[in-house]
Amino acid sequence: MDGVAPPEPSDAALWAGLRRHTQARIGLGRAGSALPTRHRLELQAAHAAARDAVHSPFDPDVVASALPGVPTVRVRSAAPDRLTYLQRPDLGRRLDDVDRAHLPRDDWDIAFVVADGLSSRAVHDHAAPVIRATTARLPADWRIAPVVLAEQARVALGDDVAHALGAAMVVVLVGERPGMSAADSLGAYLTYAPKPGTTTDADRNCLSNIRPPLGLSYDTTAAKLTSLMTRARELGRTGVSLKDDLDDEVGLFSPPPPLSVPVTTRGPAPEPPLLKRRRG
């Protein structure tokens, strides 16, 4: 009707509009002095999923079966079990001596290492599609080592694996630390000329939150990885000295769309009353 102002959106509508753009727990409300029961149960379920992701065993057969026709090699870190792996991060960075001898040494251009890390679920779900999408983009003259499936492994184990293989570069696909909104996030770490015990995190390039449809897609990951790998091969380095300035070149990212949140016509919130000093 002409001359009649539209109704003001409720707080619930405002928060609902914002929640469509984030997985963060915002605007949950309260029941007395606590969270509403529904949100409290959701939080407990997310915490349980994160714990399960950390402690669920890695099954190399899951990844190998998703890579038909791709040769694989299975290795372990120096951590003998999951509890030791969690308590001794240093052991998860070292390759088992017996397994090192089984790696096929050659002049490989690139090696892919699938490491369970802190979320075997992420590795089971996302590692094989990333490898398939990435290798499909590589030039035919690149020599790709057999995919290494590593148990009780951390990122730096890739340095030891690549050194044993004789690979010029290594990409470690590892299950990232679960959060309260994502227990299946995969990370990809690229390192040129890795040296066990010498290479640092500053020598790597990282792509994180690979978990479509809520995170980075496989195609975007593959395009970014192959661009970084090509540049690393040309310059002979990765990490902070390899600037991540390829976004415009490969056309991967665009500014996010504006938030479509209902507009409120409410005036400014009233100022709180001044507190009076108690006399006496």
Side-chain angles (χ1 to χ4, degrees):
M1 184 181 298
D2 292 341
V4 178
E8 295 180 353
S10 65
D11 287 341
L14 288 171
W15 285 117
L18 290 171
R19 278 195 291 268
R20 287 198 298 269
H21 300 274
T22 179
Q23 291 182 269
R25 290 178 169 81
I26 58 175
L28 301 183
R30 63 182 181 178
S33 59
L35 283 174
T37 301
R38 176 170 66 89
H39 295 305
R40 181 176 178 83
L41 292 175
E42 290 173 350
L43 189 65
Q44 291 175 338
H47 185 257
R51 289 177 60 89
D52 286 346
V54 170
H55 292 283
S56 295
F58 173 49
D59 186 354
D61 288 336
V62 172
V63 181
S65 63
L67 294 169
V70 177
T72 60
V73 181
R74 304 182 186 190
V75 300
R76 299 160 297 170
S77 75
D81 51 56
R82 195 61 176 174
L83 181 59
T84 306
Y85 169 82
L86 295 173
Q87 294 176 338
R88 292 283 306 275
D90 58 312
L91 296 181
R93 302 184 184 107
R94 286 172 21 209
L95 187 59
D96 178 81
D97 290 333
V98 175
D99 291 345
R100 180 185 286 106
H102 296 157
L103 291 173
R105 187 172 183 84
D106 207 335
D107 294 328
W108 308 110
D109 292 304
I110 183 68
F112 290 90
V113 176
V114 177
D116 50 0
L118 293 173
S119 175
S120 58
R121 175 184 166 189
V123 172
H124 292 160
D125 292 349
H126 307 305
V130 169
I131 292 174
R132 292 198 304 265
T134 304
T135 53
R137 287 176 173 267
L138 287 175
D141 63 335
W142 279 58
R143 302 195 63 195
I144 304 174
V147 174
V148 177
L149 308 177
E151 188 176 358
Q152 313 294 6
R154 297 183 182 269
V155 173
L157 185 80
D159 303 340
D160 209 349
V161 169
H163 187 263
L165 285 168
M169 275 184 284
V170 64
V171 172
V172 178
L173 301 173
V174 62
E176 295 183 322
R177 185 185 307 276
M180 299 306 287
S181 61
D184 62 338
S185 181
L186 186 77
Y189 292 80
L190 171 66
T191 311
Y192 185 87
K195 298 178 178 60
T198 302
T199 299
T200 67
D201 289 340
D203 300 313
R204 315 185 198 281
N205 291 90
C206 173
L207 301 177
S208 63
N209 197 34
I210 304 167
R211 48 185 295 268
L214 299 174
L216 211 58
S217 72
Y218 302 141
D219 285 341
T220 298
T221 301
K224 190 69 169 175
L225 265 180
T226 51
S227 293
L228 286 169
M229 289 158 62
T230 301
R231 187 68 61 86
R233 194 184 196 188
E234 294 171 354
L235 302 179
R237 59 180 182 268
T238 50
V240 295
S241 58
L242 176 61
K243 299 300 182 183
D244 191 9
D245 57 356
L246 307 173
D247 295 347
D248 293 336
E249 176 184 326
V250 297
L252 296 179
F253 300 106
S254 58
L259 297 180
S260 56
V261 180
V263 179
T264 178
T265 58
R266 297 171 184 162
E271 295 184 1
L274 296 176
L275 296 179
K276 295 182 180 180
R277 294 182 61 185
R278 180 178 296 179
R279 296 179 181 179

